[in-house]
Amino acid sequence: MEELARDCDLQVFRATGPGGQGVNTTDSAVRLTHRPSGISVMARESRSQWQNRQRALRKLREILERRAVPPTPRRATKPSRGSQERRLAGKHRRSEVKRLRRRPLDE
């Protein structure tokens, strides 16, 4: 955690929202910006700046762990014969509706 904290810029500010005098008088909200990746996380749940810093570090570590996992490769699949037939049948129905809306030919 401390190694991760060394790579971050720390900003402390007043939290907003409900909480009354406790929120309005203490600079307990914490914003951490991870310099190498540019990810920014914020914690303002507690009135304690230290606890909020620990929460922000945990959030940042979770985000970095999620990003470290490579996505599973996708396999190309072909639509089934039934789904192709249903799609074409729908297109035929739609074209028939549009054909019936046309003006009749004067022959």
Side-chain angles (χ1 to χ4, degrees):
M1 288 291 257
E2 288 304 316
E3 188 177 321
L4 182 62
R6 276 187 242 117
D7 291 340
C8 295
D9 292 327
L10 175 73
Q11 285 182 305
V12 180
F13 56 96
R14 286 202 176 117
T16 59
Q21 187 176 1
V23 169
N24 296 334
T25 57
T26 60
D27 291 340
S28 60
V30 173
R31 180 182 298 119
L32 287 177
T33 305
H34 189 242
R35 285 187 299 264
S37 64
I39 299 172
S40 180
V41 293
M42 184 174 61
R44 61 178 188 205
E45 290 85 15
S46 172
R47 283 179 60 185
S48 165
Q49 187 182 116
W50 186 83
Q51 287 178 352
N52 284 334
R53 182 176 178 271
Q54 296 306 312
R55 279 192 178 109
L57 282 170
R58 272 196 303 270
K59 285 181 186 180
L60 182 61
R61 190 179 67 206
E62 288 171 7
I63 291 170
L64 291 172
E65 285 172 356
R66 267 186 272 145
R67 283 190 171 194
V69 176
T72 56
R74 295 182 64 182
R75 281 186 292 167
T77 57
K78 190 168 86 168
S80 68
R81 183 183 212 164
S83 69
Q84 284 179 342
E85 289 173 358
R86 285 190 299 273
R87 191 180 77 238
L88 286 175
K91 286 184 173 192
H92 289 304
R93 279 193 303 272
R94 186 74 187 143
S95 68
E96 185 63 22
V97 167
K98 288 186 168 192
R99 188 184 65 78
L100 292 173
R101 286 186 192 150
R102 285 191 222 146
R103 288 190 176 175
L105 296 173
D106 293 331
E107 290 184 10

